[in-house]
Amino acid sequence: MSATTTARTTDVLVIGWGLAGLVAASEAVAAGKSVVIVDQEPRTNLGGQAWWSFGGLFFIDSPEQRRMGIRDSLDLARQDWFGTAGFDRDEDAWPRRWAEAYLDFAHTEKRAWLREKGVGFFPVVGWAERGGYGATGPGNSVPRFHVTWGTGPGLVAPFQAAVEAGEAAGRVRILARHRVTQLTVHDGVVVGASGDVLAPSGATRGVASSREVVGAFEVTAGATIVSSGGIGANHDLVRRNWPTRLGTAPKTMVTGVPAYVDGAMLAVTENAGARLINTDRMWHYVEGIQNWDPIWPGHGIRILPGPSSLWLDATGRRLPVPLYPGFDTLGTLAHLRATGHDHSWFVLSHRIVEKEFTLSGSEQNPDLTGKDVPLLVRSRLGKGAAGPVQAFLDHGADFVVRDDLDSLLEGMRALPGGDLLDPDLVRAELDGRDREIGNDFTKDAQIAMLRSARAYRGDRLVRTAPPHRIQDPKAGPLIAVKLHVLTRKSLGGIETDLGSRALGADGHPVPGLYAAGEASGFGGGGVHGYRALEGTFVGGCLFSGRAAGRSAAAAV
């Protein structure tokens, strides 16, 4: 051991302080164990990726659903989950079991468990990933997207508080700027980790920090939990794992996660004997926009769209049924990749923007994040676009706002890649769509879906604009948005059993090693299968983190 190496011993070592890591640590502390948490970032990043999230959670037959007139059930949710996941591999044995366990959790104790910790929920339930195929195909049959009151920070808060209370009591040690480079294995048992101590950093949350090494560390532990997240900021790794079923990987993408989401711990964990599965399954959005006020490199924001915008590919051709905004994320991604172009377009009216545009992320939703009811009423029910949306209309590099279609087309063609656009094709698509609005019946499936959506009180109240001609001057001005692929989630990862024990190539647990959160494919190495239902990512961090913390504590 060199003079600059520090050594510590603990019952449970947690690698990564995102939501899964905080949940795991809080469970181990509650069981009376000592805990060391290490992370390569400065402490300003406690809470990790989840802090930046919208805080959407998947519940089944919740009080919020029932109050909105939604009839949900475990059987219906199971039908949706398995129809969406498309499990079809031998490696899906544990992911299937995790899916069944998670569905039971979302139907029974998940909401009550969070409520006991002081977590509340916005009363209007959102309808994400609407599908648009048959009953047994992908998508949510009913709204299930419950937004945390306080968004991501509100969800992180109780677990951070529990960990910091343990720290104050001397049972938790939080080590910032500690980057794990190796898991320590002795006689086939993982007994801790070692790595680099990085130079102190004053970087604010989300801002990329230096990688200057100033020392080394070792932690010996009775149990080690890997909760280090996914690969979304590492575009080289995203492209390396990109599946042929989604076409060729984009040459250009925007990044939906901070730079520290680099996937480095996955290889480290594999080197210690854990098995990585389903690494070709991933979740990237197709409604990404360049952040006009970026925090991390290549910072992109996702538009959470309502269902009304006209979606066109880079040439101006309308996307096919049922690839409408908010219906099938990966189906749309696969279609757009087949066009050979890295961008697409929304064309819409200002009336649609006012009602339907929400931006993903805690910082883009100050009303919900700040629990500010007056601001919420003004933002969601008042006239005009919400403040963060208006900022993009005013400053966003991907937004074109004009009073007439000729000017809009001119502005679209002036953006990079806009020369691919066929103005006559855009005009034909837009005119054709607008002609269908004149009757209460239509052959246009998207317009029929709009009218169906407004049968749900939540959509009618805050999410879906009344069907109207996009070119109606009273609904203007016209808006076009250039959309990019935005990197976000890994759906595969470290294979685990239901106790979050990491499994080796022989299918047996690697002694002393556990995994949780996105590093474990949110449980089992791929609980979502090929596709996700939304509201299931931070929920998967909660569920797998809880399992890992309880199992690790019971083992030491």
Side-chain angles (χ1 to χ4, degrees):
M1 184 186 303
S2 72
T4 58
T5 300
T6 59
R8 292 180 175 84
T9 301
T10 188
D11 293 327
V12 177
L13 169 63
V14 178
I15 302 170
W17 59 29
L19 182 59
L22 292 179
V23 172
S26 67
E27 290 289 339
V29 171
K33 305 302 178 182
S34 62
V35 177
V36 169
I37 303 172
V38 299
D39 196 282
Q40 64 184 346
E41 292 306 304
R43 186 155 173 164
T44 48
N45 287 278
L46 200 66
Q49 218 175 316
W51 192 93
W52 295 100
S53 77
F54 201 30
L57 290 167
F58 178 98
F59 295 132
I60 302 168
D61 192 28
S62 69
E64 289 79 15
Q65 286 177 299
R66 294 193 292 271
R67 281 194 292 269
M68 297 301 296
I70 301 163
R71 298 178 182 177
D72 200 5
S73 68
L74 181 58
D75 285 342
L76 184 61
R78 182 183 292 111
Q79 174 177 294
D80 289 348
W81 191 291
F82 280 83
T84 299
F87 295 123
D88 62 359
R89 298 173 175 175
D90 291 342
E91 293 86 353
D92 287 330
W94 281 111
R96 282 177 177 272
R97 294 174 196 172
W98 270 91
E100 291 284 4
Y102 182 76
L103 286 165
D104 184 67
F105 177 60
H107 184 234
T108 55
E109 62 178 312
K110 178 182 176 184
R111 185 182 180 281
W113 178 63
L114 290 171
R115 290 294 295 131
E116 288 174 0
K117 297 180 182 299
V119 178
F121 310 102
F122 185 57
V124 179
V125 183
W127 195 353
E129 286 298 293
R130 302 178 188 222
Y133 303 92
T136 59
N140 283 297
S141 297
V142 298
R144 296 193 178 101
F145 191 82
H146 298 68
V147 177
T148 302
W149 188 230
T151 66
L155 190 57
V156 167
F159 303 101
Q160 179 175 338
V163 167
E164 290 179 338
E167 185 181 30
R171 291 164 56 194
V172 175
R173 186 70 181 267
I174 300 175
L175 302 176
R177 306 294 285 158
H178 282 56
R179 178 179 61 189
V180 172
T181 58
Q182 184 175 4
L183 295 177
T184 307
V185 182
H186 182 69
D187 291 337
V189 179
V190 174
V191 294
S194 61
D196 301 323
V197 178
L198 304 179
S201 171
T204 57
R205 183 183 292 274
V207 173
S209 61
S210 79
R211 291 295 180 259
E212 179 188 355
V213 177
V214 296
F217 75 93
E218 296 177 356
V219 178
T220 301
T224 299
I225 301 172
V226 176
S227 52
S228 53
I231 67 173
N234 187 337
H235 288 196
D236 290 339
L237 198 52
V238 168
R239 292 188 180 97
R240 195 180 311 155
N241 288 289
W242 193 274
T244 56
R245 67 180 176 276
L246 294 179
T248 58
K251 294 179 181 177
T252 60
M253 299 179 280
V254 293
T255 307
V257 293
Y260 56 72
V261 186
D262 58 14
M265 270 305 300
L266 294 175
V268 171
T269 308
E270 187 176 33
N271 288 340
R275 183 189 188 202
L276 301 184
I277 61 173
N278 298 319
T279 54
D280 64 322
R281 293 177 180 170
M282 51 186 69
W283 189 257
H284 305 305
Y285 292 107
V286 277
E287 312 99 333
I289 51 177
Q290 301 170 79
N291 194 346
W292 69 273
D293 187 19
I295 297 171
W296 53 78
H299 190 175
I301 297 291
R302 185 205 173 193
I303 297 171
L304 300 174
S308 297
S309 297
L310 191 69
W311 205 336
L312 309 174
D313 68 18
T315 69
R317 190 173 305 280
R318 192 175 180 185
L319 271 57
V321 178
L323 304 182
Y324 311 128
F327 278 69
D328 179 6
T329 293
L330 288 199
T332 307
L333 176 59
H335 173 80
L336 289 173
R337 294 311 309 141
T339 69
H341 306 299
D342 289 353
H343 70 276
S344 61
W345 298 93
F346 279 165
V347 176
L348 62 153
S349 68
H350 198 274
R351 187 178 296 170
I352 293 172
V353 152
E354 290 180 1
K355 192 81 168 181
E356 299 192 8
F357 265 35
T358 299
L359 302 174
S360 181
S362 56
E363 83 285 10
Q364 299 295 333
N365 293 275
D367 52 352
L368 292 164
T369 302
K371 304 181 182 181
D372 188 331
V373 174
L375 179 59
L376 185 145
V377 171
R378 293 196 303 272
S379 298
R380 311 288 163 169
L381 299 177
K383 289 288 186 181
V389 174
Q390 187 61 52
F392 274 89
L393 291 171
D394 294 340
H395 307 295
D398 297 312
F399 285 74
V400 182
V401 182
R402 299 288 190 273
D403 289 326
D404 62 85
L405 184 55
D406 287 338
S407 299
L408 187 79
L409 290 166
E410 183 180 351
M412 294 168 72
R413 286 179 56 79
L415 293 184
D419 58 304
L420 298 168
L421 202 68
D422 181 340
D424 293 335
L425 186 55
V426 176
R427 190 181 301 277
E429 296 282 14
L430 190 55
D431 287 347
R433 183 264 184 207
D434 278 359
R435 290 189 189 104
E436 294 289 323
I437 294 295
N439 296 287
D440 291 337
F441 43 87
T442 179
K443 71 176 183 181
D444 189 300
Q446 183 177 6
I447 295 172
M449 290 282 196
L450 300 182
R451 291 178 173 144
S452 174
R454 285 178 61 82
Y456 166 51
R457 189 162 70 246
D459 264 8
R460 190 169 63 252
L461 181 66
V462 299
R463 203 66 183 105
T464 304
H468 61 277
R469 292 178 59 250
I470 289 176
Q471 297 179 84
D472 183 349
K474 295 178 182 177
L478 291 169
I479 298 167
V481 188
K482 182 182 175 183
L483 305 172
H484 309 262
V485 175
L486 178 140
T487 62
R488 186 61 68 86
K489 300 293 183 186
S490 314
L491 297 187
I494 302 162
E495 186 178 27
T496 62
D497 65 13
L498 289 178
S500 286
R501 297 184 298 177
L503 304 179
D506 60 0
H508 292 102
V510 178
L513 184 61
Y514 302 78
E518 193 174 350
S520 67
F522 302 92
V527 67
H528 301 95
Y530 288 95
R531 293 173 167 169
L533 285 174
E534 294 286 15
T536 56
F537 298 132
V538 287
C541 290
L542 294 170
F543 189 51
S544 61
R546 192 175 80 151
R550 292 180 179 183
S551 295
V556 298

